[in-house]
Amino acid sequence: MQYLNAFVFDHPLIQHKMSILRDKNTGTKDFRELVDELTTLMVYEVTKDLPLKEVEIETPMAKMKTKMLEDRPVSLVPILRAGLGMVAGVQKLLPTAKVGFYGLFRDHDTHEPVEYYCKMPENIANSTVFVLDPMFATGGSVVAAVDMLKKAGCRDIRLVCMVAAKVGVERMSAEHPDVPMYCAALDDVLDENAYIVPGLGDAGDRIYGTK
Ligand code: PRP
Ligand code: URA
């Protein structure tokens, strides 16, 4: 099935680093650094249509007209906890991006997201918003985040994740077809605990060394 609004990166660097990230022998320090590097590589593509404005600058040799990003703000919304591990990777390329925090955990029995924290930047409605979460499994967490952002008035929302499951992509395509999904890998199935298989395990635990 073709997912019109899902982009799966096939760049060799991304595939190489994803293989190390998935490996169960990769420890916490390397895992965290890889999430950071992969996010930066992905952001290059996710930002490819950001609008530009013409400006005049002066080089040491002459005045010239050139282009810079328009002033429209970018906001990053990591889904806690694991999404926090992607923030610095975006900030390397977009250092002035604002950051909002959305705290969700998945109920162990229902696998439905439960909200425990929400603190968004002022005037987020005027921003281009990147929702950050390494794992996109049933899609419940991302759908909840996008619902919340649309209620706050956001219209330009993009999802950036490491591993997406097909079922999550299908759910988002149905519920939020206007939100592009950028993933470093697309996996086929979930297990009985709604974990992605082969996936990479529990992203939060691997980033923060909690198990
Ligand atoms: C994980 C992950 C996503 C969510 C994905 O978070 O980081 O937020 O599950 O699953 P879904 O697509 O089925 O909603 P988790 O609940 O494990 O919380 P954590 O980041 O605090 O570990
Ligand atoms: N959350 C994770 O951290 N991993 C999964 O595979 C699914 C949800």
Side-chain angles (χ1 to χ4, degrees), residues 23 27 33 47 66 72 84 99 117 143 151 159 166 174 189:
D23 192 322
E33 287 173 3
T47 52
T66 181
R72 182 178 164 79
L84 268 185
V99 184
Y117 192 72
V143 166
K151 268 193 208 132
L159 166 67
K166 286 186 176 166
V189 290

Side-chain angles (χ1 to χ4, degrees), residues 23-37:
D23 192 322
K24 69 176 185 183
N25 295 314
T26 298
T28 301
K29 177 176 181 288
D30 289 342
F31 191 91
R32 223 175 15 240
E33 287 173 3
L34 283 159
V35 168
D36 183 69
E37 288 171 0

